[in-house]
Amino acid sequence: MNTNVAAAASMTVWIMIDLIIGKSRGQSIGFVSIPGLCSATVVGLVVITPGAGCVHTGYALLIGSIGGLVIHLFLTGKKHFFHIDDTLDVFSCHGLGGITGALLTGLFSQNDVNRNIPNGAFYGRPIQLWYQLLGILVTCAYAAVCTSILLIFLQWTIGIRINRIDQVRGLDNVAHGVLEQSQQLPLQRINTLGAKSKKMSIDTLAIVHIET
């Protein structure tokens, strides 16, 4: 129950933020990103994972909502202020989402939900929040060290970067010989789609011609 509630809450908050942002940009009809909704659902599941068996359903609703808000704001800021590789927003959704969920579990956990866990900071045991924070720091340090070792090893062996041209063409094309449907459309059809999308104020994909 808690996992479903948190995922639904995160997705609902995500939709509301998308619509508010769309209205603030002058769109008559707000647009909701389908990939964004998929990320929102994952975020809700991630943030509730640490406390799924430790909190009441009402708190699952709150945790999912907070997670959706925090991660959406972080992603918006990341696109404008940070220039980092975060494929599929994995760190943002899973890393930051997990940290958020672990901290909130330290606040809202209740012994009457699960006799095997202690109460959280809001229920008479504030030190639990510090335990959660310590666990987060240890986990982050462990993940950073192990990831660094793996990346250094891969960099010395097969490499961890592809060249810029292959990045633009896309690995589906370069590595697997797969063309997206849009790349197979006649140029006139692509131009027509682009013209229509401009009228609808929807961003379209960029078509890059590469000489080979």
Side-chain angles (χ1 to χ4, degrees), residues 4-171:
N4 289 336
V5 168
S10 175
M11 186 172 62
T12 302
V13 169
W14 204 284
I15 291 173
M16 294 172 62
I17 297 175
D18 275 349
L19 293 176
I20 291 172
I21 292 176
K23 289 288 186 179
S24 68
R25 292 175 177 173
Q27 296 175 353
S28 56
I29 301 177
F31 294 100
V32 178
S33 165
I34 299 302
L37 290 186
C38 294
S39 296
T41 305
V42 171
V43 167
L45 296 174
V46 170
V47 295
I48 195 57
T49 295
C54 310
V55 300
H56 287 290
T57 304
Y59 282 130
L61 181 69
L62 179 60
I63 289 172
S65 300
I66 293 174
L69 175 63
V70 169
I71 305 307
H72 195 295
L73 294 178
F74 179 81
L75 287 175
T76 302
K78 185 187 74 173
K79 293 173 182 177
H80 287 87
F81 303 109
F82 304 107
H83 301 285
I84 58 176
D85 283 343
D86 188 13
T87 305
L88 298 177
D89 297 322
V90 170
F91 170 76
S92 304
C93 295
H94 292 268
L96 186 57
I99 291 172
T100 302
L103 286 175
L104 293 176
T105 299
L107 295 176
F108 301 127
S109 62
Q110 290 180 259
N111 184 255
D112 63 348
V113 176
N114 186 340
R115 295 297 179 184
N116 296 317
I117 56 98
N119 284 325
F122 286 170
Y123 290 91
R125 196 168 188 268
I127 196 173
Q128 185 60 36
L129 182 62
W130 296 106
Y131 287 153
Q132 297 293 116
L133 181 59
L134 177 61
I136 290 169
L137 294 176
V138 171
T139 302
C140 289
Y142 174 80
V145 171
C146 291
T147 302
S148 298
I149 293 172
L150 290 173
L151 290 178
I152 291 172
F153 174 76
L154 291 174
Q155 179 64 28
W156 285 350
T157 53
I158 63 175
I160 58 175
R161 281 285 187 186
I162 61 175
N163 63 60
R164 179 60 179 167
I165 293 179
D166 288 346
Q167 280 184 315
V168 173
R169 291 177 63 184
L171 285 180

